[in-house]
Amino acid sequence: MGSGKAVKRATISQVAKTAGVSQTTVSRYLNGKYSKMSDKTKAKIAQTIKELNYVPTASARQLRQSNSYVVGLLVGDVSNTFSCLLAKGIDDVLKPAGYDIVMMNTNNMLDVEQRSLQRLFELRADGIIVQPDSINYDSFAECRRRDVPLVLVDREVKDQPDDIGKVTSANQDACYQLGRVFKQRGYQNILAVSAHFAQASGQIPRIAGLKMAAEDFGLLYYDLETQGHSSEWLHRELLKAIRGLRGRTAVISLMGPVLFSILDIFHSAGIRFPEDVGLVSFDDWDWSKYVQGGIFLLKQDVELMGRLAAKKLLHQIQGKTTQSDLTVLPVEFIDKPSL
C-alpha cells in the first residue's frame, strides 16, 4: 500500500534554485522573453523544467498578460499541395477570429522542426499547429510546459497524451478496406510505392493497413521505398517488380507527388491501366480525372482537417487551456476506371 502522501508539484522557485538562476529569469523564459538571456541559460532552464516535470500554475499563466494574435503552423513540405490546402482551412477559421498565421517549412527535418518551435516561442505565438516530423511526442512537450496550446495534424506521433489536440485521417483502416477491394476485383498482388521523408510519415499507417489486408485476404504485398533513390532507380525497380509478380497487380502511390513519377514510367514503358496493372493513389488534388478516364483515389479532406485543427486551437486559446481531443476523418474512395 502507498504512504498516502500527495506528490508535490515542482514550483518555479525550485526550478530557479536547481538551474542556478533567479525566479525572474525563469519567468522570462516561460514567457519567451529571451532578448537578454544566453543560449546556455535557456538550455539549463529547459533541462531543469524537463527533469523536475514542472508545469506552470495558473499564476504562471497569468504572466502572459496579452495575446500576440499570432498562430504558428509547421508543415513538412511547403511545396506539397497538401500544405497549401491545410493552411487554407486553418486560415478560414483563424483570420475571422483576428489571428495571423506564421507558416514555417521544416523540410521534414527534426533539427529544423525544433528550431522552428523555438522561434515560435520567441514570437510568443498564442498557439501552434504542427504536421510533425518527429515520431516522438517529447519533441512537442515543451508547448504544454510553456502553456502554449498545441494541435498535431495528419501524421501519427507515439505516446501522445489523450488530451493533446489532434486531427488525422483514417489512413490505416482505409488501406485495409482498399485491400478488400483488390481482392474483390481479382488482384493477387499489392505493389506500394512510398516515399518516407519524415519519421512520423502518414505513409506508415497506410503501409500497416495494406500489410494487414494482404495477410487477411491472401494477397502478396510488395513495397518500393523511393526515398534516397534516383528516378532511374525507381523506373528500373518498378518495372522489374511488375514483370516479376505473377497474377494481377495493383500499384498504389502512397502520396500524391509519387503518382507523377509512376505515370511517367508507365507512359515510357507502354504500361496500360487497368489492362496491364491496376493503379490507385492518395490525394491527387483532382487533376488525375483527366488521365485515361480518371485514377482510383483515396482522398483526404485536407481543408476540413485544417479547419478542425484551427477550431481546436482557438477553443484552447479562448478557454486558456492546453487540453483538447482527437478527431479522425474518413478517407473517401473515388472509384475510377484505373482499377
Side-chain angles (χ1 to χ4, degrees):
M1 295 180 62
S3 64
K5 293 181 179 179
V7 177
K8 292 184 177 180
R9 296 176 58 178
T11 65
I12 193 171
S13 62
Q14 289 174 317
V15 172
K17 183 177 180 180
T18 304
V21 298
S22 67
Q23 291 188 43
T24 301
T25 300
V26 177
S27 295
R28 288 175 51 233
Y29 174 88
L30 292 172
N31 288 277
K33 298 178 180 179
Y34 306 134
S35 59
K36 297 181 181 179
M37 193 178 301
S38 69
D39 291 340
K40 183 178 179 180
T41 298
K42 287 192 292 184
K44 181 62 177 176
I45 295 174
Q47 182 63 28
T48 302
I49 287 173
K50 184 175 181 180
E51 290 174 352
L52 297 181
N53 195 28
Y54 172 72
V55 178
T57 62
S59 60
R61 294 189 187 103
Q62 291 169 1
L63 292 172
R64 294 174 61 94
Q65 295 179 354
S66 61
N67 290 350
S68 65
Y69 289 95
V70 168
V71 165
L73 170 61
L74 304 188
V75 296
D77 180 6
V78 74
S79 68
N80 193 327
T81 305
F82 183 102
S83 301
C84 300
L85 293 173
L86 182 68
K88 172 66 166 57
I90 293 169
D91 191 62
D92 285 346
V93 172
L94 293 182
K95 180 168 286 184
Y99 288 85
D100 292 320
I101 299 173
V102 175
M103 184 174 176
M104 295 184 175
N105 180 35
T106 65
N107 203 29
N108 291 309
M109 298 174 66
L110 300 182
D111 58 337
V112 176
E113 181 174 72
Q114 286 303 301
R115 288 204 306 270
S116 299
L117 282 171
Q118 291 301 318
R119 181 58 179 147
L120 289 173
F121 295 149
E122 293 172 3
L123 291 173
R124 298 188 65 199
D126 290 332
I128 301 175
I129 298 173
V130 182
Q131 183 191 35
D133 299 319
S134 174
I135 202 167
N136 298 305
Y137 170 72
D138 189 57
S139 297
F140 313 103
E142 190 174 353
C143 289
R144 172 159 282 180
R145 289 195 289 267
R146 290 173 173 270
D147 202 38
V148 177
L150 170 70
V151 178
L152 301 181
V153 294
D154 181 33
R155 299 169 177 172
E156 302 288 336
V157 170
K158 293 179 180 178
D159 304 321
Q160 179 178 333
D162 293 337
D163 62 349
I164 292 292
K166 180 178 181 180
V167 185
T168 188
S169 297
N171 285 307
Q172 182 166 324
D173 180 68
C175 281
Y176 183 85
Q177 297 305 326
L178 178 64
R180 191 188 303 275
V181 173
F182 290 154
K183 180 68 173 181
Q184 292 170 346
R185 299 193 182 185
Y187 288 91
Q188 288 81 41
N189 311 306
I190 303 173
L191 175 51
V193 185
S194 58
H196 288 181
F197 295 107
Q199 278 187 357
S201 171
Q203 294 164 80
I204 295 173
R206 295 173 187 174
I207 290 173
L210 290 172
K211 286 182 175 179
M212 290 173 60
E215 182 175 348
D216 288 353
F217 304 131
L219 306 175
L220 175 67
Y221 176 80
Y222 191 94
D223 179 57
L224 283 177
E225 168 56 60
T226 66
Q227 178 67 358
H229 296 290
S230 66
S231 57
E232 291 78 14
W233 178 90
L234 177 59
H235 189 285
R236 180 179 66 253
E237 294 300 317
L238 180 59
L239 294 183
K240 184 169 71 174
I242 290 173
R243 292 163 181 165
L245 293 171
R246 294 183 178 181
R248 297 187 70 199
T249 298
V251 177
I252 174 170
S253 164
L254 291 181
M255 62 180 296
V258 173
L259 181 59
F260 288 97
S261 300
I262 294 174
L263 287 173
D264 185 56
I265 293 168
F266 282 4
H267 178 73
S268 64
I271 293 177
R272 302 165 301 165
F273 48 86
E275 293 84 359
D276 302 320
V277 297
L279 181 60
V280 177
S281 181
F282 266 86
D283 302 328
D284 75 328
W285 324 125
D286 289 335
W287 61 265
S288 73
K289 63 187 176 185
Y290 302 108
V291 179
Q292 297 184 22
I295 294 172
F296 191 112
L297 296 178
L298 280 73
K299 188 173 183 180
Q300 303 175 98
D301 192 334
V302 184
E303 286 192 46
L304 176 59
M305 183 182 292
R307 291 195 297 272
L308 291 176
K311 288 179 180 179
K312 288 182 187 293
L313 195 74
L314 192 59
H315 183 268
Q316 292 179 68
I317 294 171
Q318 294 174 341
K320 300 186 184 303
T321 181
T322 60
Q323 292 186 320
S324 189
D325 56 11
L326 163 68
T327 298
V328 180
L329 298 175
V331 176
E332 182 183 4
F333 282 25
I334 310 296
D335 196 343
K336 293 294 181 179
S338 66
L339 188 65

